[in-house]
Amino acid sequence: MRDLVEIGMGRTARRAYELDDIEIIPSRRTRSSKDVSTAWQIDAYRFDIPLITHPTDAIVSPGTAVAVGELGGLGVLNAEGLWARHANVEEALFRLVEATEDTDDPGAPVRILQELHSAPVRLDLVAAAIKEVRDSGVTVAVRVSPQRAAELTPDLLAAGVEILVVQGTIISAEHVLRDGEPLNLKSFIADLEVPVIAGGVGDYRTAMHLMRTGAAGVIVGYGFTPGVTTTDAVLGIGVPMATAIADAAAARRDYLDETGGRYVHVIADGGALTSGDIAKSIACGADAVMLGEPLASATEAPAQGLYWTAASAHPSVPRSFVSPGVDQEVDLRTLLFGPSVDPRGVTNLFGSLRRAMAKTGYSDLKEFQKVGLTIRG
């Protein structure tokens, strides 16, 4: 039975939990970290670590997408971002960095992002960015919004995209347009020969709807980062991530039974700032995590430590701050695999996941999804 709480006469709300509200319970056994695998596979593509980058220009350039891929994760380019609109992205990012240093005008960074994203998407620039990633030999993944998926996807596939990410703040199986035909994800995905990851969602029913479209993966969450994303403040919409991941995992299980064996991956996008959060996301049922701000401190991140989500550039309803720059004192390899001298869980992110799995006695990610959980307090 769902944990319902009465918030007023005739009105109830479901109690839900954030990652900070839960802890992992050790089991009766442990094992060596050397005997643990963090590998996962979506469709024909195998990855050494369950990492997908949040598709923001703050952390993903063509070069960093290559670096992430070479380290075993999946870097996702934004096909509607700065590399798709401007030939000199370094100059655009420099303007943004300068704007964050102007404390007399805190709204300047968002205005600059809105201005930069008002330039048209240039398919030649998108193709050049994709080619750089493709030529390196790593898996090519690109994000499009539901609004422009039908328009841009043919050219993206022609350029060599291998995994398509259709991502918005909130996504449904059918995106209704005021004028023209709606984007029906089921027919859209059926016509493609590449796997599609779609999201974000925050509940069982919407996750199930997306799974039934034929998506290979479903993104759970809206990329929430405290102090950066403001979807809850602007739209009143929030997703307690521990509950949302568990609900989507339940939908995955039921869909597996419904289809006689079709497995859809659950990707947690939001709330994971430390290695412990990554471990708890997997423990709640995620197959992989989509990381944003934790990667901003890597020396390879193009925005010099700044972080924002794509929603920051919305022309009328921005839902993300441009966070102040963090020190970029660690390379991406060290950030992901250590060694670390920082005890806060912000470095050696996936080495720590491996250690958490070993300390609780689980040898792979699918097993670790069965680990015991407890609620604080």
Side-chain angles (χ1 to χ4, degrees):
M1 180 181 295
R2 290 188 171 186
D3 189 4
L4 296 179
V5 178
E6 186 177 280
I7 59 175
M9 293 182 64
R11 190 66 166 140
T12 59
R14 184 186 178 195
R15 190 187 304 277
Y17 300 95
E18 298 283 4
L19 295 174
D20 283 345
D21 295 326
I22 67 169
E23 299 285 2
I24 295 169
I25 303 173
S27 71
R28 61 181 174 84
R29 63 188 174 192
T30 59
R31 66 177 69 241
S32 169
S33 296
K34 296 178 182 179
D35 298 328
V36 170
S37 171
T38 58
W40 73 293
Q41 183 166 329
I42 185 165
D43 203 74
Y45 303 97
R46 185 184 184 279
F47 304 96
D48 292 335
I49 54 174
L51 167 65
I52 300 177
T53 63
H54 194 83
T56 167
D57 300 313
I59 60 169
V60 186
S61 65
T64 52
V66 171
V68 169
E70 290 176 341
L71 291 171
L74 177 63
V76 182
L77 290 169
N78 185 1
E80 299 171 39
L82 297 180
W83 270 269
R85 300 175 189 267
H86 298 277
N88 191 341
V89 179
E90 290 74 18
E91 181 180 316
L93 291 174
F94 181 74
R95 286 184 59 197
L96 197 60
V97 171
E98 282 194 319
T100 62
E101 297 170 353
D102 183 2
T103 56
D104 294 330
D105 188 4
V110 169
R111 285 201 305 274
I112 290 174
L113 279 174
Q114 290 172 324
E115 175 196 334
L116 291 171
H117 283 77
S118 67
V121 170
R122 289 177 47 185
L123 294 175
D124 62 322
L125 295 178
V126 177
I130 291 172
K131 183 177 185 301
E132 182 176 341
V133 180
R134 188 185 68 238
D135 287 351
S136 73
V138 305
T139 303
V140 184
V142 167
R143 174 262 178 189
V144 289
S145 66
Q147 294 88 340
R148 303 195 68 177
E151 169 196 353
L152 296 176
T153 295
D155 290 297
L156 297 177
L157 298 182
V161 168
E162 296 170 290
I163 296 177
L164 184 69
V165 179
V166 181
Q167 185 181 27
T169 300
I170 301 166
I171 196 169
S172 57
E174 182 174 288
H175 181 75
V176 180
L177 300 177
R178 182 174 181 179
D179 300 308
E181 292 296 320
L183 174 66
N184 185 300
L185 271 176
K186 187 171 185 177
S187 58
F188 175 76
I189 291 173
D191 291 336
L192 301 180
E193 295 183 357
V194 300
V196 175
I197 297 172
V201 302
D203 66 313
Y204 171 96
R205 185 173 68 172
T206 310
M208 179 64 84
H209 284 173
L210 282 193
M211 290 174 187
R212 287 171 175 162
T213 66
V218 170
I219 300 168
V220 180
Y222 312 139
F224 176 72
T225 302
V228 179
T229 50
T230 57
T231 301
D232 54 344
V234 176
L235 301 181
I237 297 172
V239 182
M241 283 299 295
T243 298
I245 296 168
D247 283 356
R252 177 185 61 205
R253 181 191 62 238
D254 291 348
Y255 181 70
L256 189 71
D257 292 340
E258 176 183 300
T259 58
R262 186 173 186 274
Y263 189 92
V264 178
H265 295 265
V266 170
I267 297 150
D269 178 26
L273 297 178
T274 67
S275 54
D277 294 332
I278 294 171
K280 287 189 278 189
S281 296
I282 303 294
C284 285
D287 296 285
V289 291
M290 180 172 271
L291 294 187
E293 188 181 38
L295 305 182
S297 60
T299 52
E300 293 91 338
Q304 300 180 40
L306 300 182
Y307 183 72
W308 65 89
T309 70
S312 183
H314 193 283
S316 60
V317 190
R319 298 178 300 281
S320 170
F321 289 106
V322 178
S323 72
V326 296
D327 292 334
Q328 293 182 295
E329 298 178 347
V330 60
D331 62 274
L332 186 61
R333 178 181 292 276
T334 302
L335 186 67
L336 299 181
F337 302 116
S340 174
V341 296
D342 192 321
R344 296 172 298 166
V346 295
T347 309
N348 196 8
L349 297 175
F350 290 91
S352 297
L353 170 63
R354 180 184 292 272
R355 181 62 62 90
M357 294 167 64
K359 289 292 186 184
T360 51
Y362 294 90
S363 61
D364 60 40
L365 296 175
K366 293 305 301 177
E367 283 192 2
F368 191 55
Q369 291 172 348
K370 303 173 185 177
V371 70
L373 298 171
T374 187
I375 298 170
R376 287 186 178 184

